Amino acid sequence: MKITTWNINGVRARLDLAVTYLREAAPDVVCLQEIKSVDEGFPRGAFEDLGYTVATHGQKGFNGVAILSKLPLEDVARGLPGGAGDEQARWIEATVAGPKGAVRVASLYLPNGNPIGTDKFAYKLAWMRRLKRHAVKLLSTEMALVLAGDYNVIPLPIDAKRPETWANDALFQPESRAAFRGLLNLGLTDALRACHPEPGVYTFWDYQAGAFQKDDGIRIDHLLLSPEAADRLVAAGVDKQTRGWEKPSDHAPVWIELDLAG
DNA sequence: ATGGTGGTTCAACCA
């Protein structure tokens, strides 16, 4: 089962690109972030034509997440628990019923948190505490689990071409990185890192200053796997070619292959 | 220190 996560930065602005990419890559499950669309405005027909069932959790103008699946989607849940009054659409989860096993999949868009020292950064850290609490609950079910999305966290210096330039950025603060480590310490596996321990693996390149041409990237889109899913991990990669296409998202799709046989 | 880019929505916000 191939599962892809992609911060698409506006699903309507990126529809042609997305259809082209999905035809080529043919993932079974797609986790989208920053759809920047309400549910009624989501171009679901274009994805249904490719064979996907569509579940969205949208919001006007900003944020918004979705899960597309060629396999049956069950038990869809919207919103990260523990956020009374939190209106931001950053979490959707569902069970993908594969022929050889079910997987609980979440598409998440973790708050950016910039600038540091503001309520935005406090919201980011609070959201990460909620994420950890919910991850504990999901792990306790012992169902294979994939937490996929834009974490807005650069875990380590090797996850940036120029880490020194991120020193004052919310994505690379000690608190952000510690919270990400806290997720790993629950027993979750960073799938892309597990398959690609080498430096220079990036998932985001800023639109400005020719960052992509200089490969001035960062790795902030992650798929975290429960032990039950990590045991089935076959491969992972970044489809960075899309970043060089016309009118690209500033993020590239990241994919994993899980062997769910037996 | 500034400006550099882009989506959504409509002057401004977010990244």
Side-chain angles (χ1 to χ4, degrees):
Chain A
M1 183 187 297
K2 185 175 184 180
I3 303 175
T4 296
T5 182
W6 190 16
N7 180 322
I8 197 168
N9 189 19
V11 69
R12 289 186 303 272
R14 223 66 69 195
L15 188 55
D16 290 347
L17 183 88
V19 168
T20 300
Y21 171 68
L22 292 177
R23 275 191 210 284
E24 172 182 309
D28 299 293
V29 181
V30 185
C31 297
L32 297 176
Q33 301 88 37
E34 280 206 275
I35 62 174
K36 297 186 177 181
S37 170
V38 294
D39 295 334
E40 309 78 61
F42 190 91
R44 60 174 53 234
F47 298 106
E48 288 169 348
D49 289 347
L50 295 174
Y52 292 101
T53 296
V54 177
T56 63
H57 182 38
Q59 175 183 345
K60 186 176 181 179
F62 309 109
N63 306 321
V65 288
I67 299 176
L68 319 177
S69 177
K70 291 187 177 181
L71 297 159
L73 267 184
E74 300 169 353
D75 302 323
V76 178
R78 296 168 176 83
L80 182 62
D86 185 354
E87 301 297 316
Q88 301 191 34
R90 297 178 174 276
W91 179 275
I92 186 170
E93 60 176 90
T95 298
V96 177
K100 297 165 182 170
V103 188
R104 190 71 174 166
V105 176
S107 177
L108 68 100
Y109 178 46
L110 208 146
N112 175 294
N114 278 306
I116 58 175
T118 67
D119 56 351
K120 290 187 178 181
F121 190 58
Y123 174 67
K124 176 181 194 144
L125 296 179
W127 204 93
M128 294 187 83
R129 287 191 290 273
R130 285 166 58 195
L131 171 56
K132 185 176 182 182
R133 278 198 298 276
H134 190 49
V136 167
K137 184 175 176 187
L138 291 172
L139 284 165
S140 72
T141 68
E142 299 186 9
M143 182 189 296
L145 173 69
V146 177
L147 304 180
D150 178 358
Y151 282 71
N152 269 315
V153 175
I154 303 166
L156 292 170
I158 63 165
D159 296 312
K161 178 69 167 280
R162 298 190 299 153
E164 67 280 4
T165 64
W166 298 91
N168 295 313
D169 195 287
L171 279 58
F172 197 51
Q173 288 310 291
E175 298 95 326
S176 310
R177 296 171 57 197
F180 186 80
R181 281 198 306 278
L183 294 170
L184 301 180
N185 290 339
L186 295 177
L188 292 165
T189 295
D190 177 345
L192 183 60
R193 177 54 76 221
C195 293
H196 292 280
E198 70 276 13
V201 179
Y202 309 130
T203 67
F204 169 92
W205 299 261
D206 200 283
Y207 286 122
Q208 304 178 106
F212 184 63
Q213 287 69 28
K214 295 183 244 178
D215 198 27
D216 184 7
I218 52 177
R219 193 175 73 94
I220 57 174
D221 299 274
H222 309 298
L223 297 107
L224 300 192
L225 277 50
S226 70
E228 295 80 7
D231 282 345
R232 304 296 188 182
L233 179 61
V234 174
V238 182
D239 282 336
K240 71 184 289 186
Q241 73 275 8
T242 62
R243 185 62 181 78
W245 292 359
E246 283 286 310
K247 275 180 61 96
S249 168
D250 40 7
H251 296 251
V254 184
W255 57 268
I256 60 170
E257 178 69 36
L258 299 180
D259 175 12
L260 288 170

